[in-house]
Amino acid sequence: MFATISSKVSCIFWMILQVACLFGLSEIGTWISKVLHAPIPGSIWGLIILFLLLKFKIVKLEWVSSGGDWLIREMLLFFVPSSVGILSYGHLMLHQGIQIVVTIVTSTALVMVFTGAIAETIWKSRQRRKVKSRYAKEEASSC
Amino acid sequence: MMWVGLMMTVLFYWGCKKLYKKVRFVLLNPMITCLIAIIVVLLCTHMSYSTYFSRSKLLADMLNPATVALAIPLYRHFDVLKRHVAEFLLSLACGATVAVTSSVMLARVMHLNGNITLSVAPRSVTTPIAMDISQTLGGIPALTAVFVIITGLSGVILGPLIIRVCRIQSSVAKGTLFGMGCHGLGTARAFEIGQMEGTCASLSMVTAAFITLALAPVLVPLLGM
């Protein structure tokens, strides 16, 4: 009983520590984007840095994975406070809200259909080619 | 008192997520129900948005480390992504063009004024970059942030429908559709479908942001704005 509780506590402790490290990386990223005056926001710099650190085996996956996976799983929660900002545009939304929503919803649907259809078409043609080359190999070996 | 905004947000989010898990109805997406619940509470208690935001800022700040954490699935599935580089680049380049063009055209058809039209143009990418592009174009960054959220919400609802209607089967296509169509919210939704879909979505979100960053300042003047 005591062992399970203590292992849970240490698990949470590590997770918080990992989240703090990721936070540090995003702060470093923000600093980089300030210094370089690049139009790329800090969090994207942080993402690139973490990816390179993982790729070159400077940071092990286990060092960041439990905290990182938790952050990704609960990402929707972090969007909530800024979404409530719709409230400050109540006036605009009351007058032109319907036009704005129709514009955005239609455009989003178009984007999703185009992007999905193109990716799916390329994927399918690749799949077909794979099957064909497998057949060709089998025929060659049976001859 | 300081913690009320934060606690309220976390509690509502937790409750709405539980509800969604039970009912599984698209319109009861936790993001939407939670948003409505908080707005109702703020209106009832006469708390202003700025007070609420300053009290729950810690949560909004977590969006940065969450974006950094997207490097983890990217690293885990990098070989798969390398194999599908054609799918990504082609579909995202088209997606970004459609996003900017259709937003501007539709805004014009709907008789929205110039500033609003310029703020709608970059709505399809993640908030910080969208606000930046909006600034470059001469739009209103704060308004763009709102449009980005509306895009996210509509994409989260439309995405699963489009996947079903267009009979999309590959994880890559499902991922790119969410990542391009509705940025971070879509990425979170794609992770609900699967690890591979989520990873493709996060890669698409980042790539789409870069493409739009380069594309929008050239394309928008061509559209006569």
Side-chain angles (χ1 to χ4, degrees):
Chain A
M1 180 71 189
F2 179 73
T4 53
I5 290 175
S6 79
S7 80
K8 228 178 196 168
V9 167
S10 81
C11 211
I12 291 173
F13 171 77
W14 282 115
M15 225 170 80
I16 293 172
L17 199 69
Q18 291 179 2
V19 170
C21 287
L22 291 169
F23 198 87
L25 269 175
S26 81
E27 286 300 304
I28 294 173
T30 311
W31 178 78
I32 292 177
S33 89
K34 236 181 229 162
V35 170
L36 292 182
H37 290 291
I40 301 165
S43 52
I44 302 287
W45 281 114
L47 191 159
I48 295 169
I49 294 171
L50 179 61
F51 181 76
L52 292 177
L53 288 175
L54 286 167
K55 195 83 196 153
F56 291 111
K57 314 258 183 248
I58 301 165
V59 169
K60 275 192 187 148
L61 189 60
E62 303 93 85
W63 295 358
V64 286
S65 62
S66 74
D69 286 338
W70 178 78
L71 279 173
I72 293 172
R73 227 176 17 248
E74 305 302 339
M75 195 144 80
L76 282 182
L77 171 64
F78 313 134
F79 278 102
V80 173
S82 26
S83 322
V84 181
I86 293 180
L87 208 55
S88 348
Y89 288 94
H91 184 72
L92 179 73
M93 283 297 159
L94 226 53
H95 286 277
Q96 294 191 297
I98 294 173
Q99 286 103 305
I100 290 172
V101 170
V102 169
T103 304
I104 293 179
V105 170
T106 319
S107 168
T108 304
L110 283 174
V111 171
M112 288 182 130
V113 168
F114 268 89
T115 315
I118 292 169
E120 179 82 357
T121 313
I122 301 174
W123 182 81
K124 272 194 178 144
S125 75
R126 193 195 295 267
Q127 226 58 12
R128 224 171 288 138
R129 218 177 306 143
K130 231 187 243 169
V131 173
K132 244 186 214 164
S133 70
R134 202 181 294 152
Y135 270 128
K137 255 184 210 163
E138 274 170 15
E139 260 172 36
S141 64
S142 69
C143 281
Chain B
M1 200 56 203
M2 197 57 211
W3 292 92
V4 171
L6 199 146
M7 287 307 288
M8 178 176 81
T9 313
V10 173
L11 275 178
F12 275 140
Y13 173 74
W14 182 76
C16 293
K17 221 174 143 179
K18 273 263 146 84
L19 179 77
Y20 178 67
K21 271 202 182 124
K22 262 208 177 125
V23 194
R24 285 276 167 203
F25 179 58
V26 271
L27 282 179
L28 285 181
N29 185 286
M31 191 66 202
I32 298 169
T33 42
C34 187
L35 185 64
I36 293 170
I38 290 172
I39 288 180
V40 168
V41 169
L42 291 192
L43 290 178
C44 289
T45 57
H46 299 287
M47 191 197 272
S48 74
Y49 171 62
S50 54
T51 332
Y52 165 75
F53 190 76
S54 66
R55 282 175 189 169
S56 56
K57 198 174 169 300
L58 183 67
L59 286 177
D61 287 342
M62 295 300 273
L63 201 53
N64 283 330
T67 309
V68 174
L70 289 176
I72 297 170
L74 213 63
Y75 171 74
R76 272 193 198 129
H77 301 277
F78 193 63
D79 51 327
V80 189
L81 303 174
K82 253 196 325 210
R83 234 181 296 149
H84 295 285
V85 85
E87 277 98 321
F88 278 110
L89 288 184
L90 271 175
S91 63
L92 292 176
C94 286
T97 315
V98 171
V100 175
T101 317
S102 67
S103 302
V104 172
M105 299 292 234
L106 281 164
R108 211 163 318 131
V109 172
M110 292 287 161
H111 297 293
L112 297 176
N113 71 31
N115 269 340
I116 299 178
T117 307
L118 289 174
S119 314
V120 169
R123 60 161 190 87
S124 192
V125 302
T126 180
T127 314
I129 301 187
M131 288 173 83
D132 220 88
I133 299 172
S134 174
Q135 184 94 50
T136 322
L137 294 176
I140 309 161
L143 205 53
T144 300
V146 176
F147 296 157
V148 171
I149 295 292
I150 300 177
T151 303
L153 293 176
S154 47
V156 165
I157 296 170
L158 289 170
L161 291 175
I162 290 173
I163 288 177
R164 212 177 310 144
V165 172
C166 298
R167 295 211 185 84
I168 287 173
Q169 292 159 349
S170 69
S171 317
V172 184
K174 285 179 195 167
T176 46
L177 171 156
F178 271 116
M180 178 69 237
C182 54
H183 52 88
L185 280 174
T187 304
R189 181 67 182 79
F191 269 110
E192 275 177 35
I193 305 177
Q195 274 286 317
M196 183 60 199
E197 283 83 354
T199 311
C200 291
S202 52
L203 184 83
S204 307
M205 178 183 102
V206 175
T207 318
F210 285 122
I211 295 176
T212 312
L213 200 62
L215 188 79
V218 184
L219 195 59
V220 172
L222 281 181
L223 293 168
M225 283 310 295

